[in-house]
Amino acid sequence: MPIRREFPPRSLNAEALNEGRVDSHYTKVLMRLLAAHAMAEKLTALGYQRALATLDNPALRPIVEKNFAEEKKHARLIYDALEELGMSQQAADRSMIAVLKAPSFDAPSYFAGKAEGELDLLMASLSLDTTGLIMIGENYKESSYAPHARAAEIILDEEADHEIFASRHLGDAVERFGVKSVNTALRRWLPRAVNFFGPPGTGFTYDCIRYGLKSRDNEELAELYVTMLSRRCEQLGLEMPPLTATYPHALA
């Protein structure tokens, strides 16, 4: 049976929460969700910043510079929403220390700290921008918390070409690096990308759906991403790596 949604899209704002007109557990769940979203945007921005320092293809520099600037701006949007609720950026980041060790943050953490070169840049874009747009488009743009829904709308509008970049350059990578190298990179990155959606069926996700902060479970979104990427791999003659069935996913 579908979870009944208690609050319709964009029905609540910071004033309603700060004045105690909503169950305090709603605010707690919302702040945890926003802190995770802000951290993902921040780490992705750091990844693009590192890419600018290591990239040897000057043709990609304007795109990466643009993506870096947008990710920084979008992280700021979410941190600003948290500050309206009384949580500073520093406090939000501290609340994520334990979460950063989870498989769901492996992709952005790896991009921010370890990814090197053009092929990793492409795989990170597929693993973070494309997955992020699915999360934001399917879940956050219809959030019951109006500031998050408005931020999601801005992000979707400004990052639409990030997905185009990733999809187009996957084909370019096949031509430049060869099928074998791209297949190897896919095997390295796909588990990280699918795990980025997070574990399925948790109490936290249940609360998010019940409160109208999300619309769909993590597993549904992961399946959508895998289906989309499988089609693209088939078009390019790439091998879609098989994954284990349960979270955290690994190569089968």
Side-chain angles (χ1 to χ4, degrees):
M1 180 182 296
I3 302 169
R4 184 178 68 85
R5 180 177 178 138
E6 293 186 16
F7 301 102
R10 305 185 184 221
S11 59
L12 297 171
N13 56 26
E15 184 180 15
L17 273 57
N18 290 334
E19 291 179 355
R21 288 186 259 141
V22 182
D23 178 2
S24 62
H25 188 59
Y26 176 100
T27 304
K28 182 179 178 181
V29 172
L30 170 65
M31 291 172 79
R32 177 178 164 186
L33 180 66
L34 291 177
H37 185 178
M39 180 57 73
E41 298 281 358
K42 178 181 178 178
L43 289 173
T44 305
L46 289 171
Y48 280 121
Q49 186 177 37
R50 285 187 73 254
L52 287 171
T54 60
L55 205 56
D56 58 5
N57 183 351
L60 293 178
R61 181 165 291 275
I63 300 169
V64 176
E65 287 174 345
K66 176 178 177 292
N67 289 4
F68 170 48
E70 288 173 352
E71 296 292 348
K72 279 200 305 181
K73 173 186 174 181
H74 300 155
R76 186 70 261 159
L77 282 174
I78 309 303
Y79 282 124
D80 286 348
L82 279 163
E83 286 172 2
E84 279 193 293
L85 298 171
M87 179 178 266
S88 68
Q89 177 175 340
Q90 293 75 17
D93 288 353
R94 282 197 302 272
S95 74
M96 289 287 105
I97 290 173
V99 179
L100 285 173
K101 299 175 184 177
S104 56
F105 267 87
D106 188 26
S109 295
Y110 188 86
F111 186 35
K114 297 179 181 177
E116 296 286 351
E118 186 176 335
L119 200 48
D120 260 357
L121 169 64
L122 170 65
M123 290 299 136
S125 189
L126 274 172
S127 302
L128 293 167
D129 288 332
T130 306
T131 53
L133 288 172
I134 290 172
M135 289 184 212
I136 293 166
E138 294 292 327
N139 277 336
Y140 305 154
K141 75 171 183 178
E142 297 299 326
S143 173
S144 60
Y145 188 60
H148 199 197
R150 288 194 295 268
E153 209 166 43
I154 293 168
I155 294 169
L156 286 170
D157 182 55
E158 294 186 351
E159 289 193 10
D161 57 351
H162 292 213
E163 184 178 10
I164 295 168
F165 161 73
S167 180
R168 185 179 72 241
H169 283 276
L170 185 60
D172 293 345
V174 171
E175 292 183 11
R176 182 169 178 183
F177 299 103
V179 168
K180 184 177 179 180
S181 293
V182 177
N183 277 335
T184 299
L186 277 170
R187 290 178 61 82
R188 189 168 68 249
W189 276 94
L190 184 63
R192 292 188 176 105
V194 178
N195 287 335
F196 187 41
F197 291 101
T202 65
F204 175 69
T205 295
Y206 175 87
D207 284 340
C208 285
I209 295 173
R210 176 166 64 97
Y211 286 140
L213 298 170
K214 288 185 176 183
S215 301
R216 302 175 71 174
D217 185 72
N218 297 332
E219 188 172 24
E220 294 179 79
L221 301 184
E223 288 173 356
L224 178 60
Y225 172 72
V226 168
T227 299
M228 291 171 58
L229 186 58
S230 294
R231 289 199 200 103
R232 188 67 179 131
C233 286
E234 186 177 353
Q235 291 168 352
L236 294 170
L238 295 168
E239 293 177 13
M240 185 69 177
L243 298 177
T244 54
T246 56
Y247 177 92
H249 300 279
L251 294 173

